[in-house]
Amino acid sequence: MVLQYQNELFALAAILLLMLIYFRIKQKNKTEADTKAAKKEEELKAEQSGQITVTPQKEIQEKKIQNTVPRHAKITKEDFKIFAGERILLAEDNLINQKVILGVLGDSGIEVVVANDGQEALDILQTDKNFLIILMDAHMPRVDGFEATRAIRHDPQNNHIPVIALSGDTASDDIRKMKEAGMDEHLEKPLQVDTLYDILYKYSAKISAQEDNSLDIPALDIQRGLQVCGNDTAFYHDILKEFLVTYSNSAEELEILLKNDKADQADSLLLDIIGVSANIGADALTACANDIKNNINANKNINLALYKKRVQELVQSINNYFLTCN
């Protein structure tokens, strides 16, 4: 009898304990729900009153242009001219590192605005927000790159600008901290020129516009090229091979001619390229060569970076086509 009474007491105690745990969990969930609701209400009130609110990171990413970076040969300083007119904010306290980046981009037509620390970068952004990207050194005096980036991400007028971390830190934990602070990419120190080019290409509005304008223009329209050649495959192949031999290095030839003030010879070379490229179905290169020819005749500045890209794309397309024929 005593044993049965004890078992009933234990059972009752267990039930009471479970009920206590249940009510505590329920109260905790209610408290968390109330906290979230209150926070959401505060954010809504702040937004309605015009106060600063943080834009969700997903929405920030959607505002940023992200072009697909094509395969390319080793990048040179000349290649950066394709981004002429873009503006970059460089937050870097090391004078040597500043000079390296300014040296690489010096003749490209890209404007680089320099801030010597994170606070200077934030001060600049108060009055000047027209930047393609921000190159942000992670470790700086006064305000470091992490703190500056978090401030940028909390400002709806600046949080659309991609922030590229500049750092020699390459460990996974370091990269994770940069991402958590709101940095979009990591540019390793010492500077890798190819990586810098890829980042500029990825976010450049100029590249996006160029790609939009040439979406329907393939590097090589084989069917149309064959039609021009009377559907004579052997003849078409001969012209393609002739192009590879004669014009694969035409970007370099044009650069030399223009640097030596031989505009007439450059114009003549472009006329030949326009004729050949039109006959083989290379409309993208034809259009680009026409633009350069017109700029030469109008005494305008010549940017060969896009032309070089078009030639590389065409050479790759021709080589791929020949592989399919074998």
Side-chain angles (χ1 to χ4, degrees):
M1 185 71 178
V2 174
L3 181 60
Q4 182 179 357
Y5 179 70
Q6 288 178 339
N7 289 338
E8 289 176 352
L9 285 177
F10 282 130
L12 180 61
I15 292 171
L16 291 172
L17 180 60
L18 289 173
M19 291 179 65
L20 178 62
I21 293 172
Y22 168 76
F23 283 117
R24 289 190 66 178
I25 293 174
K26 188 173 182 181
Q27 181 62 35
K28 181 181 178 182
N29 291 339
K30 183 178 184 300
T31 302
E32 290 178 351
D34 291 343
T35 301
K36 290 180 180 179
K39 184 177 180 181
K40 188 173 182 180
E41 184 177 354
E42 288 177 3
E43 290 177 351
L44 181 61
K45 288 180 179 179
E47 184 177 355
Q48 291 174 344
S49 63
Q51 297 177 10
I52 293 176
T53 57
V54 180
T55 304
Q57 189 65 21
K58 182 179 179 181
E59 184 178 342
I60 294 171
Q61 294 293 339
E62 288 174 351
K63 294 179 181 179
K64 296 173 185 173
I65 298 165
Q66 293 196 10
N67 305 310
T68 301
V69 181
R71 295 177 60 184
H72 53 70
K74 188 69 177 176
I75 296 300
T76 65
K77 289 175 62 175
E78 183 72 21
D79 294 316
F80 285 94
K81 289 184 178 180
I82 196 172
F83 309 115
E86 298 283 19
R87 302 179 74 241
I88 294 173
L89 176 58
L90 170 62
E92 169 64 71
D93 66 306
N94 187 289
L95 292 177
I96 294 177
N97 291 335
Q98 288 180 10
K99 288 182 179 180
V100 169
I101 293 177
L102 290 171
V104 170
L105 303 179
D107 298 324
S108 65
I110 300 172
E111 181 184 352
V112 182
V113 178
V114 178
N116 293 295
D117 57 48
Q119 185 58 57
E120 279 193 24
L122 294 175
D123 292 342
I124 290 170
L125 288 170
Q126 288 297 314
T127 57
D128 188 355
K129 307 175 187 301
N130 184 28
F131 293 104
L132 170 65
I133 60 172
I134 301 171
L135 296 177
M136 182 75 74
D137 183 18
H139 307 290
M140 293 181 289
R142 291 209 296 169
V143 175
D144 66 17
F146 296 96
E147 186 179 348
T149 300
R150 283 191 286 268
I152 291 168
R153 290 290 166 255
H154 281 75
D155 186 341
Q157 295 184 344
N158 293 323
N159 62 12
H160 64 283
I161 308 174
V163 177
I164 314 302
L166 287 173
S167 175
D169 300 328
T170 57
S172 58
D173 285 347
D174 295 320
I175 303 298
R176 176 180 54 79
K177 291 176 182 177
M178 295 173 195
K179 294 287 186 181
E180 289 175 350
M183 297 175 176
D184 299 274
E185 310 275 355
H186 174 243
L187 189 57
E188 184 179 344
K189 291 182 179 180
L191 180 68
Q192 304 293 320
V193 174
D194 285 48
T195 308
L196 176 60
Y197 175 91
D198 290 348
I199 287 172
L200 289 172
Y201 194 103
K202 182 176 181 179
Y203 292 105
S204 176
K206 293 180 178 295
I207 296 299
S208 180
Q210 291 167 1
E211 290 185 345
D212 287 343
N213 291 334
S214 61
L215 285 177
D216 298 326
I217 306 178
L220 181 65
D221 188 338
I222 297 169
Q223 295 302 319
R224 201 174 64 77
L226 282 168
Q227 289 176 358
V228 173
C229 294
N231 291 317
D232 187 333
T233 303
F235 179 44
Y236 183 53
H237 287 187
D238 286 341
I239 296 178
L240 292 177
K241 291 174 183 177
E242 185 68 24
F243 177 88
L244 292 176
V245 171
T246 309
Y247 300 113
S248 291
N249 297 319
S250 56
E252 290 76 10
E253 293 178 31
L254 285 169
E255 182 178 4
I256 293 171
L257 290 172
L258 293 172
K259 282 185 177 180
N260 289 283
D261 296 325
K262 297 181 178 180
D264 290 342
Q265 294 183 36
D267 183 83
S268 178
L269 176 58
L270 285 166
L271 186 61
D272 292 340
I273 292 168
I274 290 168
V276 174
S277 60
N279 284 330
I280 63 177
D283 292 340
L285 180 62
T286 304
C288 185
N290 258 316
D291 288 341
I292 295 174
K293 188 175 184 301
N294 292 334
N295 286 339
I296 290 176
N297 294 332
N299 292 318
K300 294 182 179 179
N301 291 330
I302 307 300
N303 183 355
L304 292 176
L306 180 59
Y307 177 84
K308 183 177 181 180
K309 177 176 179 287
R310 293 288 180 252
V311 172
Q312 290 174 344
E313 291 170 346
L314 179 56
V315 169
Q316 185 64 50
S317 295
I318 293 173
N319 288 329
N320 290 342
Y321 168 60
F322 281 140
L323 287 174
T324 64
C325 294
N326 295 333

